[in-house]
Amino acid sequence: MNSLLARTRKYYFLAGLKLFGYVAAVQLLLVVEWTFFGVEEEDIVGFVSQNVITFNAMFMVLFNMLFAIYGPNWYDSMVLSMGARRRDVFWGQLIKQSVFVGLSAILSIVLCVVFKHENFLGYTIVAVAAAMILGALGLVIGYKVKKYGKIVIFGLLIIVGVQAGIWGFVLATGIKLPIGSLNSAMILSLIGAGAVAVFVLLEFWAYRLNQKCMVS
């Protein structure tokens, strides 16, 4: 049993590493593109590094949620079929998400410090909180998709479409987001406390759904 538990944890740990590797590879391609398109910028290094920090945070949130949604149908069923316990799968999902989000956060923080973008540190912390919350929500959605099928995906697409429309409006109208204000200790403390509460509730819900999930 201990051997199976160790293999389960290793499986999810490597899954988190692979996800980080995929995202990092995509960002390397974007760095090349930004370098070519930003040749007229006075500070090309600052321009590219800031883009990496910004997109790394967005990718952290997006991919952590998407891969969490796929978890119950992709990772979990495979591990359960090998004899792992459901609670091992639940903790394995947390390991995978923590590895991916943790490495992504470290990358952003290092870039913020090295390239003097300390004003994005608060932004990075908020992105970490959002990534973990949406990762837990992604697990809940994944279990619902497994139970109810495409109707859940349809509802999810509507929500994503509305959010994309809001972001498109913000970009089109030139509204500037107050990124620097996120460095406030009080704001970060409130966000952190709220994020922990929401995360725990969502993970509890995901755990309950995990216990009822059928192996496919």
Side-chain angles (χ1 to χ4, degrees):
M1 181 61 70
N2 289 335
S3 175
L4 181 58
L5 174 60
R7 283 189 292 146
T8 301
R9 291 178 176 177
K10 180 181 178 181
Y11 175 81
Y12 283 102
F13 178 81
L14 293 177
L17 286 180
K18 289 178 182 178
L19 178 54
F20 175 74
Y22 296 149
V23 175
V26 171
Q27 292 195 86
L28 285 176
L29 294 176
L30 289 176
V31 166
V32 175
E33 180 181 343
W34 290 326
T35 301
F36 280 111
F37 282 101
V39 291
E40 297 181 357
E41 295 286 336
E42 294 183 3
D43 182 11
I44 182 64
V45 175
F47 170 75
V48 173
S49 58
Q50 180 173 308
N51 279 346
V52 173
I53 294 169
T54 304
F55 276 78
N56 184 58
M58 290 191 293
F59 287 159
M60 184 198 316
V61 174
L62 175 64
F63 285 101
N64 196 51
M65 182 177 185
L66 289 178
F67 274 72
I69 292 174
Y70 277 107
N73 287 287
W74 191 349
Y75 296 106
D76 294 9
S77 294
M78 185 184 305
V79 178
L80 285 171
S81 66
M82 294 188 298
R85 295 172 298 181
R86 294 180 185 274
R87 64 182 180 184
D88 296 337
V89 170
F90 174 78
W91 288 110
Q93 281 285 359
L94 282 178
I95 291 172
K96 176 177 68 69
Q97 293 187 35
S98 297
V99 168
F100 170 63
V101 174
L103 290 175
S104 298
I106 290 172
L107 174 61
S108 285
I109 291 172
V110 169
L111 291 175
C112 285
V113 174
V114 171
F115 295 102
K116 311 299 182 184
H117 295 302
E118 287 85 357
N119 58 317
F120 279 85
L121 285 173
Y123 170 77
T124 299
I125 294 173
V126 172
V128 170
M132 294 306 295
I133 288 175
L134 291 179
L137 178 61
L139 279 178
V140 172
I141 294 173
Y143 287 120
K144 292 296 183 180
V145 168
K146 189 167 186 177
K147 183 176 181 180
Y148 297 108
K150 296 181 179 179
I151 185 64
V152 178
I153 298 178
F154 181 73
L156 180 62
L157 289 175
I158 293 177
I159 295 173
V160 172
V162 171
Q163 292 181 336
I166 293 173
W167 279 107
F169 173 78
V170 170
L171 294 175
T173 55
I175 298 175
K176 294 184 178 180
L177 301 178
I179 290 178
S181 65
L182 294 177
N183 287 330
S184 168
M186 180 176 293
I187 292 177
L188 289 177
S189 298
L190 292 174
I191 292 175
V196 170
V198 175
F199 176 76
V200 170
L201 290 174
L202 286 173
E203 285 293 339
F204 178 74
W205 189 7
Y207 182 79
R208 294 290 299 273
L209 293 173
N210 170 279
Q211 299 304 299
K212 301 175 183 178
C213 180
M214 300 293 291
V215 179
S216 59

